[in-house]
Amino acid sequence: MKDERAVRIRDISKREGRLIKISLSDLMPLPSPYDKPELEPPLTEPKLDWSSNYVTELDGYVAIDIPWKPRSKEEEEKLVKRFLEGLRKLTSREGNWTFLQPLLLSLDYCAKCQNCAEACPIYVASGRKDIYRPTYRSEVLRRIYDKYILKKPGVNVELNALTILRLGELAYRCTLCRRCVQACPLGIDNGLIAHEIRKLLSMEMGIAPTALHERGTVLQLKVGSSTGMNPKAFINMVEFMEDLIREKLGRRIKIPVDEKGADVLLIHNAGEYISWPENPAAYAIILEEAGVSWTLSSELVGYDAVNYGVWYDDAQLARIAMKHIEVARKLEVKRIVIGECGHATKALLVVADRLLKDDYRIPRESVLPMLRDIVKSGKLNLDPGRNNFPVTLHDPCNIVRLTGIVEPQREVLRRIAPMFREMEPHGVYNYCCGGGSGFAIMTSLNFPEWRIKVASRMKFRQILEAFRDTIDPSIPKYVCAPCSNCKGELRDLLTHYRATELYNIHYGGLAELVVNAMVDLKEPYVDFTVQ
Ligand code: SF4
Ligand code: SF4
């Protein structure tokens, strides 16, 4: 039988058929207790009628859930033409104001040493399938660029419609975690190349997953949040959190909203309000106790730190980032603090630097160093004994590897969680949760199966290994994930494997653990009830 792992670069252009089929027996084995086959839910096949609209010819999974397959020869030619025009723009100074230099440097040369492959959780977890090597999609784009833009002779790639369709899907088989970049002796950024392919598709061809664009950026700009929450619903949510706080703390706290001249504008990922309101409520308690001058905003987009453009489209990224800055300027705050959200931290702290000028350069920071300073200041009366259960820490790629915020969250945990243990590897060598780059919110068709089975597999292994000595279901365990997106992925991951129900493994943010350790709390803040 043909070894399906051996897929050559030129196979991307095959006129028909699927490049690979994933089976459970290929995937990286999971450790105990998930080494028993009956605990591994099976894989499914794509529905037959999907192939007329969506691209199932890569690995059978569909991330781009809008119909974009050409239906005639003319449409195929048009697709190729638009792709090449987009690539020309993407590789020109005028057309790419964000990442032109690192893109061209990454396309320039690859030593093909494959150091990056073993660093990639997707490649390793898939059972080392060639198409998931960090270099596979990069080499396809490199060859197209060399042959069709630079007109180099003898380059072995054929640009047809299926090359583009498969490459488009393949750009969504990378979480943009950039772990491979650290392993590359030449500093080639294969994650960036995946990002730039997404950008080309979105900005030049109007193709992006609906969760990121239609139900993401477009909805956020229209109603105020990608969750669909409008300003009125946000105010209701604030009142709900005030009730929640009174219930837990035994007294009422007034959460400041639209306080002009406050020191800090705190912007959470609005997904927190919908799915984990105990996280923003915990920050309200902590900031009140610490006497910080702070506020939330109820203005359109001002209460949602989400900026999905960072994953697929620079123009959309710029629109949201400018809105965040405008809200802060209007409120005349001294700085913007981004709550526990990795991609929002990347968007506003790092990438936005490339577009903000002059007095738009308001100081922007992550909430984690501020939380560390508060905990260390002694302003909170904390008893670590209240967190007397095993805790491990997930490092969100965009906060830790990208921004370099590694120690603050650990300094907090060392003070408040006596049974804290690291995952291995951790810090800047962490593995992505599997939900990075938008995957956690991409729930269409069969994509969730791929992200849980392949993209999150390494994280699940790390969690099980971190709790190896306490896997006994009678012991509640807590995966601390200071990122809204990562929490969404952990929720789906633990649900898929019934890990909460069977082994008492829970997840949550960092601020919740801090509040849980507060001495004057009436009720435990962290809830280990199994639904
Ligand atoms: S960025 Fe992460 S997921 Fe993407 S190729 Fe590199 S290591 Fe793999
Ligand atoms: S580690 Fe760098 S040079 Fe080596 S194969 Fe990967 S991208 Fe190419």
Side-chain angles (χ1 to χ4, degrees), residues 64-65 67 69 113 120 217 226 238 481 509 511 520 523:
I64 302 177
D65 56 347
K69 275 185 136 173
C113 64
C120 174
T217 312
S226 59
V238 170
D520 55 356
E523 300 282 332

Side-chain angles (χ1 to χ4, degrees), residues 109-117 135 180 183-188 190:
Y109 181 73
C110 163
K112 302 189 169 52
C113 64
Q114 291 303 324
N115 273 351
C116 52
T135 50
C180 54
C184 176
L186 301 178
I188 291 171
N190 290 301

Side-chain angles (χ1 to χ4, degrees), residues 325 352-364:
I325 299 291
D353 259 355
R354 293 170 185 254
L355 66 114
L356 299 176
K357 296 213 164 38
D358 307 327
D359 53 353
Y360 269 70
R361 286 187 172 268
I362 292 174
R364 290 151 281 139

Side-chain angles (χ1 to χ4, degrees), residues 3-259:
D3 180 0
E4 280 205 325
R5 283 176 301 181
V7 178
R8 297 156 302 181
I9 301 291
R10 64 172 184 267
D11 291 341
I12 192 97
S13 311
K14 273 180 20 182
R15 298 282 173 158
E16 58 187 25
R18 212 193 286 183
L19 283 196
I20 62 161
K21 181 171 186 293
I22 298 176
S23 62
L24 275 185
S25 56
D26 292 342
L27 299 181
M28 178 187 77
L30 291 172
S32 170
Y34 285 86
D35 50 351
K36 302 177 197 74
E38 66 270 20
L39 286 183
E40 177 80 75
L43 294 170
T44 57
E45 272 291 297
K47 294 202 172 117
L48 281 179
D49 60 344
W50 289 354
S51 63
S52 52
N53 281 323
Y54 311 115
V55 182
T56 52
E57 288 89 342
L58 181 73
D59 52 8
Y61 290 95
V62 181
I64 302 177
D65 56 347
I66 55 166
W68 67 299
K69 275 185 136 173
R71 295 178 184 277
S72 63
K73 192 95 191 101
E74 290 70 45
E75 284 186 17
E76 278 188 19
E77 282 166 7
K78 206 167 142 202
L79 185 81
V80 171
K81 192 163 167 271
R82 285 175 70 199
F83 182 84
L84 275 181
E85 280 168 10
L87 184 57
R88 211 164 278 123
K89 214 163 153 189
L90 192 75
T91 50
S92 71
R93 188 169 300 281
E94 308 70 44
N96 192 347
W97 51 269
T98 42
F99 296 112
L100 179 68
Q101 190 192 40
L103 173 64
L104 292 184
L105 288 172
S106 294
L107 285 177
D108 198 29
Y109 181 73
C110 163
K112 302 189 169 52
C113 64
Q114 291 303 324
N115 273 351
C116 52
E118 288 303 313
C120 174
I122 290 179
Y123 171 68
V124 174
S126 73
R128 298 184 170 79
K129 302 265 190 205
D130 274 335
I131 65 161
Y132 301 140
R133 283 181 191 277
T135 50
Y136 190 96
R137 75 180 72 73
S138 302
E139 186 59 21
V140 171
L141 191 71
R142 186 177 291 118
R143 287 189 190 186
I144 295 171
Y145 177 62
D146 283 352
K147 182 170 173 176
Y148 295 92
I149 306 291
L150 299 182
K151 309 283 183 198
K152 287 187 186 170
V155 181
N156 192 358
V157 73
E158 183 201 336
L159 185 59
N160 59 37
L162 265 169
T163 314
I164 296 167
L165 295 168
R166 290 197 185 101
L167 187 62
E169 270 297 322
L170 197 50
Y172 288 93
R173 298 296 183 279
C174 163
T175 62
L176 313 184
C177 76
R178 299 179 73 251
R179 196 170 191 272
C180 54
V181 188
Q182 280 184 161
C184 176
L186 301 178
I188 291 171
D189 194 339
N190 290 301
L192 176 75
I193 291 177
H195 172 266
E196 297 293 289
I197 297 169
R198 294 180 182 195
K199 213 166 96 178
L200 192 168
L201 292 185
S202 177
M203 295 180 73
E204 305 305 326
M205 301 165 78
I207 294 156
T210 51
L212 305 190
H213 188 60
E214 281 304 320
R215 284 187 280 115
T217 312
V218 173
L219 189 64
Q220 188 178 10
L221 286 164
K222 196 168 152 206
V223 305
S225 164
S226 59
T227 60
M229 185 172 24
N230 62 24
K232 191 161 174 269
F234 169 71
I235 294 293
N236 288 341
M237 180 51 73
V238 170
E239 285 165 11
F240 169 79
M241 288 193 300
E242 287 174 344
D243 290 344
L244 178 78
I245 291 169
R246 193 185 50 196
E247 195 183 300
K248 297 278 188 183
L249 206 58
R251 62 189 162 85
R252 198 165 183 85
I253 282 180
K254 179 90 191 104
I255 297 178
V257 178
D258 300 329
E259 295 281 342

Side-chain angles (χ1 to χ4, degrees), residues 32-34 36 39 460 464 467 470-477 497-506:
S32 170
Y34 285 86
K36 302 177 197 74
L39 286 183
F460 193 45
L464 294 174
F467 292 136
T470 53
I471 202 70
D472 182 337
S474 67
I475 306 170
K477 297 163 273 288
Y497 288 105
R498 297 170 56 212
T500 308
E501 180 191 336
L502 296 175
Y503 295 104
N504 217 348
I505 302 175
H506 302 253

